[in-house]
Amino acid sequence: MMIPKKPLVGIIMGSSSDSKVMHNAAKILDDFGIRHEDQIVSAHRTPTRLEEYAKHAEANGFKVIIAGAGGSAHLPGMVASHTVIPVVGVPIMVYNDKSGKKSDEFKFSAFGGMDSLLSIVEMPNGSPVATVGINKAANAGLYALKMLGNEYPELRAKLKKFKQTQHNSVVMESDEMKKSGLVRFVQKKFK
Ligand code: RP5
């Protein structure tokens, strides 16, 4: 089946504060030529939009939703409770990033993202959210691609190539390390 030229993935986040982290999911989808639609939907500031968004995602035929949020992150779980489209959750550590405040005190959640991770991963039985690590939006993008790969052989082939590239780059670095020895390898690589 040909990959359709319309968004297959919906990316949502609780705030523009999350956008720097979440754009890594968009980047990997772009790399593989998969269209996505990106929006801000806040579970606590725009609760009525959640249900509307779920309806919109279904009407537009999204196959996966990637949802990122920080703090006591309800967005991924709540959107999952409104739809049968699989949801991949991204716990976010950066907090209130749009405040413009330079101090780190305002930039990170009190629990370093653990609050968000546990809120997302510990969904009760019945409304699952597949959860990636804290700030690992790129992994959410990759996971979405793998799900889509079940349907589109062309994408599956690209993912296999991606794996091979990963393999080759590790072997290349290992050869370099073997040749120069660990001390010189580190001096060269991290100088
Ligand atoms: C959550 O609160 C958002 O997902 C964000 O990570 C966090 C802080 O949001 P702002 O106060 O910066 O908008 O809803």
Side-chain angles (χ1 to χ4, degrees), residues 11-16 18-19 22 38-42 67-69 75:
I11 301 181
I12 51 173
M13 62 211 80
S15 163
S16 62
D18 306 323
S19 57
M22 291 303 289
D38 318 320
Q39 287 205 49
I40 298 171
V41 183
S42 168
L75 179 67

Side-chain angles (χ1 to χ4, degrees), residues 107-182:
K107 281 199 125 182
F108 304 105
S109 75
F111 299 96
M114 281 302 286
D115 40 357
S116 173
L117 171 67
L118 295 175
S119 305
I120 299 173
V121 82
E122 284 296 334
M123 279 300 287
N125 281 334
S127 199
V129 172
T131 311
V132 296
I134 297 167
N135 288 351
K136 299 276 194 304
N139 260 356
L142 203 48
Y143 192 73
L145 289 167
K146 287 184 169 191
M147 290 168 90
L148 294 169
N150 286 328
E151 204 166 330
Y152 305 109
E154 184 191 332
L155 179 58
R156 212 184 165 88
K158 279 190 188 173
L159 284 162
K160 288 206 175 199
K161 210 169 144 202
F162 176 79
K163 272 212 170 298
Q164 190 58 47
T165 309
Q166 279 184 327
H167 174 96
N168 294 349
S169 84
V170 172
V171 171
M172 223 158 77
E173 284 198 311
S174 175
D175 286 349
E176 213 183 310
M177 185 182 280
K178 194 173 158 198
K179 210 167 128 199
S180 62
L182 184 53

Side-chain angles (χ1 to χ4, degrees), residues 14-15 17-18 44-45 68-70 92 94-98:
S15 163
S17 291
D18 306 323
H44 63 283
R45 280 177 285 215
I92 292 184
V94 174
Y95 203 77
N96 208 10
D97 197 27
K98 66 187 175 195

Side-chain angles (χ1 to χ4, degrees), residues 24-37:
N24 292 310
K27 256 167 75 186
I28 191 136
L29 295 173
D30 289 345
D31 289 349
F32 281 81
I34 295 298
R35 302 240 171 126
H36 49 92
E37 185 212 78

